Amino acid sequence: MVPHLITALTGPINELEQRILDSMPAIERWFRLEWMEHTPPFYCSVDIRNAGFKLAPVDTNLFPGGWNNLTDEMLPLAVQAAMAAIEKICPEARNLLIIPENHTRNTHYLANVLQLKRIFNMAGLNVRIGSISPDVKKTTTVTLPHGDTVTLEPVIRGRRRIGLKDFDPCTILLNNDLSAGVPGIVEELYEQYLLPPLHAGWSMRRKSRHFQSYEEVAKRFGKLLGIDPWLINPLFGRSEGIDFANDVGMEALAEQVDVLLAKVRRKYKEYGIKEKPFAIVKADNGTYGMGVMTVRDAKELAALPRKSRNKMGMIKDGQTVHDVIIQEGVLTQERMNNAVAEPVVYMMDRYVVGGFYRMHPERDVDENLNAPGAGFVPLAFQHSTQLPQVGARPGASVPNRFYMYGVVARVAMLAASYELEATNPNAEIYD
């Protein structure tokens, strides 16, 4: 059984919730069978949008930060999931090395690294944090706002292994999404377990490939439930060879946006939805909510101001954007403290372990919330006495709502598993 998140929220919801609750045994069996065939990503987080008439993931992150935004109540779940994951991969594991992002001055991010260290420590491992940043030349201790400290040590490369001075790990946990490419220090580590694998990093991964896999999985899941997969799947397109700074490829992008919006209009008409469709154009790789914009009409692209072009043309680590995914925009009808909000579900191995609401007081229901100024409201878990309330009216039960969010997040996680199998450069090929 998936744990369920607690929230004070109520809002519009559709009959999808009822269908998911009625199908709970079939859904859980379906996931069990899938996980017999496929390996879940080691950990991931999924951003979900609930439009009331549609519920869909809009992003799946395979190097999730933000573990510090989860409450203490979720720690036992995360520890159990960490134990299950490590047991499958390396049961004899003793030492774990966490490799974080290079931005060592971001104390919010370092609080996330510290929370990961706690989780794996409680799962029975010796854990240390090794930095591959050129700025960390010696052991550095950073004090966080609440008085906790994080110790970063420079990573040392041997012939076939990496480690720290006096610390030889058998497992390496990457919490660095490799946006700037794969540094040589973590390549060709044949004697250690590297989690997630290098091809999960943004230097190789593409959002369009993920949503292609998601579309495939959503169709099968829709068939299981007897629903139109569109109710859980954002339509998407892709446009390549764009240079935002020099106005190259913008016409082709506008055409793709037009095609997508026409498809969404048809769906809205079919379901009697009165909202105005919109598209989200975002860099096909990369994270941190960079290189993302809302487009309500393809004509807007021709008149894009220089400032917006510059924002779209560059993402994390100074990477230039040339390829974008055009995604059907999913409204969010969720509110938290009067701010627009979206749930983010955290998973480890095949288990949902926690989540929070990302909210943004300055953003609208059709805009990206993963931006400076966002706030986070942690979600604790239900007591086991409050598992899904099977007889409750749709939209009236918070545990039921979050069971549904956990299901959609796991469908996205399964899609990530398909995606990683398809893009694995070392996959064994059988004739």
Side-chain angles (χ1 to χ4, degrees), residues 3-7 13 16-18 20-22 24 55 382 386-407:
H4 310 282
L5 308 156
I6 282 177
T7 173
I13 202 75
L16 184 62
E17 182 182 308
Q18 194 60 54
I20 282 178
L21 283 174
D22 292 344
M24 200 191 297
L55 180 78
Q382 294 297 104
Q386 288 176 284
L387 292 173
Q389 296 157 325
V390 178
R393 200 164 40 82
S397 160
V398 168
N400 290 356
R401 160 95 55 99
F402 282 102
Y403 174 71
M404 179 172 67
Y405 287 170
V407 166

Side-chain angles (χ1 to χ4, degrees), residues 126-350:
N126 301 315
V127 185
R128 281 166 62 180
I129 301 162
S131 177
I132 54 173
S133 166
D135 299 338
V136 179
K137 296 184 171 66
K138 60 179 193 301
T139 300
T140 306
T141 301
V142 182
T143 304
L144 305 183
H146 295 300
D148 291 324
T149 58
V150 174
T151 301
L152 301 166
E153 301 176 69
V155 169
I156 299 163
R157 172 81 201 216
R159 186 188 280 181
R160 300 171 69 86
R161 299 172 76 87
I162 59 172
L164 306 174
K165 192 179 177 205
D166 308 323
F167 187 73
D168 183 23
C170 56
T171 309
I172 318 291
L173 179 65
L174 282 177
N175 196 243
N176 180 319
D177 63 24
L178 309 175
S179 289
V182 177
I185 197 164
V186 294
E187 288 184 310
E188 299 179 2
L189 297 175
Y190 301 120
E191 296 177 358
Q192 291 164 306
Y193 294 97
L194 189 65
L195 307 168
L198 294 177
H199 67 281
W202 281 125
S203 52
M204 301 183 208
R205 190 174 173 232
R206 295 295 174 266
K207 291 172 190 175
S208 51
R209 181 74 195 78
H210 173 73
F211 281 98
Q212 194 182 330
S213 296
Y214 183 82
E215 190 171 29
E216 182 190 322
V217 176
K219 276 179 185 163
R220 292 184 25 240
F221 187 72
K223 198 171 176 185
L224 173 80
L225 290 189
I227 61 163
D228 177 353
W230 177 74
L231 295 172
I232 58 165
N233 180 31
L235 302 173
F236 75 96
R238 187 171 187 260
S239 197
E240 300 175 2
I242 298 169
D243 181 343
F244 283 98
N246 298 307
D247 205 14
V248 174
M250 297 301 279
E251 277 180 33
L253 173 58
E255 273 173 38
Q256 290 281 356
V257 169
D258 246 347
V259 168
L260 184 84
L261 288 174
K263 284 181 189 170
V264 178
R265 266 184 224 107
R266 281 197 294 275
K267 277 294 185 186
Y268 278 21
K269 193 175 176 188
E270 182 186 331
Y271 283 93
I273 295 159
K274 301 286 183 257
E275 306 286 353
K276 185 175 164 58
F278 65 100
I280 298 289
V281 176
K282 51 188 171 184
D284 203 11
N285 63 327
T287 182
Y288 285 43
M290 297 172 84
V292 181
M293 67 178 171
T294 300
V295 182
R296 297 166 189 88
D297 187 318
K299 294 191 186 85
E300 293 169 20
L301 291 165
L304 207 59
R306 168 68 54 196
K307 190 179 175 189
S308 303
R309 286 174 190 275
N310 292 345
K311 269 187 164 176
M312 282 302 296
M314 196 79 76
I315 53 169
K316 184 174 167 240
D317 293 334
Q319 300 297 301
T320 309
V321 175
H322 295 299
D323 303 337
V324 296
I325 178 173
I326 302 123
Q327 196 175 56
E328 172 191 349
V330 182
L331 295 165
T332 177
Q333 297 291 9
E334 303 278 26
R335 292 285 182 288
M336 183 64 84
N337 305 337
N338 291 326
V340 174
E342 65 189 6
V344 184
V345 178
Y346 274 61
M347 289 162 288
M348 196 176 284
D349 193 48
R350 56 202 174 107

Side-chain angles (χ1 to χ4, degrees), residues 8 18 70 108 359 408:
Q18 194 60 54
L70 302 168
H108 290 294
M359 58 182 207
V408 170

